[in-house]
């Protein structure tokens, strides 16, 4: 065994341990910070419904910068909320060369997610793309790398297997989503989202020869669907332009009015019931456990 091999492997081992240790510390820090914000939010007065976006920022008082649909050569992603930011010029209109830190502060101001959410999600995206949250930039289309952030059984996009281009809304899927609300005025509820996610997963499994969804991606899917209920209040009237045209309607404000925004902790109160309410997953688990018993 050459000494250079030993040097290289021990250096890699030490850097490996060090970086996983750092990421454990970082996550612990983020979750403690998040609990603090959640606690503060629970007692602090809500922002007025028509002034959730603070004065001086785009969207204050419901006045959003001009909407221009993407032009030839502009970069767009599989995420309607980020595309809408570019369509209104809140992120660069060409969707390119966006720093992760810029995305953090823009999401915080526009959608009123908590600072912890706005750090955790872009930091996670940076890692998935093998980039640095602190120093790197990305183009919106980079987020569509299959099974990094983008994954199968989307509520707004056909699977990559059927449609390689993840940047454009799928009108049929979105209309089906908007029509499934059983809340007052046809608004979406937790039960509606569990039902339609279950249906989409079953559909993908059947028609997509390369269907794959890890637990992480399933939770990711129930998380981004839960933003429809929290930040967007489940209101189909707002969600129609947001999902179909990736346009923020005039007068719109985030429905989460907490001063520190939607925290990761509070978000779980919606995400977990959505995910655990998916009937198909329960049936699958039941079937697998029965088969398991038969096999032993
Ligand atoms: C990307 O943006 C940075 C500043 O944020 C700038 O220095 C750099 O030149 C830009 N790169 C491209 C390719 O436009
Ligand atoms: C990131 O790196 C891993 C391991 O080297 C690789 O498997 C993965 O495809 C990379 N992801 C992207 C988006 O380049
Ligand atoms: C969640 O968002 C990602 C990225 O935009 C997308 O690929 C995925 O399909 C979405 N999940 C659902 C269930 O819509
Ligand atoms: C349902 O949605 C409409 C607009 O789409 C909204 O005016 C109404 O307040 C919503 N109902 C509830 C209970 O949130």
């Amino acid at each position: 065994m050459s000494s250079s091999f030993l040097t290289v492997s021990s250096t890699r081992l030490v850097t490996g341990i060090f970086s996983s240790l750092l990421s454990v510390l970082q996550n612990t820090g983020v979750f403690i910070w998040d609990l603090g914000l959640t606690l503060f939010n629970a007692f602090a007065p809500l922002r007025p419904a028509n002034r959730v976006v603070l004065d001086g920022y785009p969207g204050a008082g419901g006045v959003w910068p001009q909407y221009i649909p993407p032009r030839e050569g502009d970069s767009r992603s599989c995420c309607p909320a980020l595309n809408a930011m570019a369509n209104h010029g809140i992120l660069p209109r060409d969707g390119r060369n966006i720093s992760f830190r810029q995305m953090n502060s823009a999401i915080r101001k526009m959608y009123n997610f908590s600072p912890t959410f706005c750090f955790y999600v872009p930091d996670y995206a940076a890692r998935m793309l093998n980039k640095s949250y602190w120093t790197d930039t990305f183009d919106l289309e980079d987020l569509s790398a299959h099974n990094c952030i983008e994954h199968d059984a989307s509520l707004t996009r056909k699977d990559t297997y059927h449609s390689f281009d993840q940047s454009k809304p799928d009108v049929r899927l979105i209309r089906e989503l908007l029509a499934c609300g059983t809340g007052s005025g046809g608004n979406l509820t937790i039960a509606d989202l569990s039902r339609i996610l279950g249906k989409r997963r079953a559909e993908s499994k059947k028609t997509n020869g390369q269907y794959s969804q890890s637990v992480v991606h399933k939770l990711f899917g129930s998380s981004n669907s839960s933003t429809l209920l929290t930040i967007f209040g489940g209101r189909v009237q707002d969600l129609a332009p947001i999902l179909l045209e990736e346009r923020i309607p005039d007068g719109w404000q985030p429905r989460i009015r907490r001063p520190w925004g939607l925290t990761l902790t509070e978000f779980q109160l919606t995400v977990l019931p959505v995910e655990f309410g998916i009937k198909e997953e329960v049936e699958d688990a039941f079937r697998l456990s029965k088969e398991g018993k038969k096999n032993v």
Side-chain angles (χ1 to χ4, degrees), residues 127-130 145 148:
R127 287 178 207 214
M128 291 306 276
L129 299 175
N130 301 329
C148 288

Side-chain angles (χ1 to χ4, degrees), residues 23-290:
S23 90
V24 169
L25 278 177
Q26 180 181 299
N27 286 343
T28 313
V30 168
F31 288 115
I32 293 173
W33 180 20
D34 194 77
L35 284 176
L37 296 177
T38 309
L39 203 66
F40 182 94
N41 270 344
F43 296 102
L46 299 178
R47 290 186 187 161
N50 60 354
R51 309 214 76 82
V52 181
V53 175
L54 296 177
D55 284 346
Y57 294 121
V63 183
W64 294 94
Q66 193 192 0
Y67 166 81
I68 306 176
R71 288 181 251 228
E72 192 66 36
D74 287 348
S75 183
R76 289 294 181 271
S77 74
C78 43
C79 172
L82 291 178
N83 291 351
M85 297 174 90
N87 292 342
H88 285 276
I90 292 166
L91 288 177
R93 289 192 186 268
D94 67 359
R96 298 187 188 278
N97 198 23
I98 301 167
S99 77
F100 291 96
R101 297 166 71 177
Q102 175 186 9
M103 174 159 83
N104 171 336
S105 79
I107 297 176
R108 166 92 193 97
K109 290 166 193 153
M110 173 162 177
Y111 291 119
N112 199 26
F113 282 106
S114 67
T116 37
F117 187 103
C118 295
F119 168 71
Y120 188 80
V121 174
D123 178 65
Y124 178 82
R127 287 178 207 214
M128 291 306 276
L129 299 175
N130 301 329
K131 292 192 175 206
S132 155
Y133 167 83
W134 300 103
T135 53
D136 284 338
T137 65
F138 67 101
D139 295 349
L140 285 176
E141 69 204 43
D142 295 345
L143 298 177
S144 301
H146 187 51
N147 276 344
C148 288
I149 306 292
E150 188 281 322
H151 55 252
D152 287 336
S154 163
L155 297 179
T156 65
R157 305 290 192 265
K158 286 200 193 83
D159 288 357
T160 309
Y161 177 73
H162 296 299
S163 156
F164 184 73
D165 183 2
Q166 289 290 307
S167 72
K168 293 195 188 65
D170 184 87
V171 174
R172 186 188 65 83
L173 288 175
I174 294 170
R175 290 215 183 283
E176 186 182 354
L177 167 66
L178 295 174
C180 87
T182 60
S184 76
N187 293 353
L188 297 171
T189 65
I190 288 181
D192 297 333
L193 280 188
S194 300
R195 202 174 59 248
I196 194 152
L197 281 171
K199 177 164 184 275
R200 281 291 292 137
R201 288 179 193 177
E203 216 168 68
S204 285
K205 225 184 258 180
K206 207 153 69 189
T207 63
N208 171 353
Q210 285 157 20
Y211 172 80
S212 75
Q213 260 205 320
S214 60
V215 173
V216 172
H217 285 129
K218 284 180 178 169
L219 277 174
F220 211 122
S222 32
S223 301
N224 50 8
S225 323
S226 295
T227 63
L228 304 177
L229 299 177
T230 49
I231 300 294
F232 299 103
R235 296 171 184 232
V236 290
Q237 212 173 56
D238 295 342
L239 287 168
I242 290 169
L243 298 178
L244 289 167
E245 298 165 64
E246 305 188 327
R247 173 175 69 78
I248 304 296
D250 285 340
W252 186 81
Q253 293 287 281
R255 301 295 161 189
I256 295 291
R257 294 161 51 196
R258 306 242 190 234
W260 283 112
L262 180 60
T263 60
L264 294 161
T265 308
E266 188 178 6
F267 196 36
Q268 299 316 310
L269 298 179
T270 310
V271 175
L272 296 178
V274 165
E275 180 61 38
F276 291 130
I278 300 178
K279 206 175 76 223
E280 286 78 358
E281 297 290 345
V282 180
E283 283 165 359
D284 269 5
F286 188 64
R287 187 176 47 76
L288 284 178
S289 85
K290 261 199 343 209

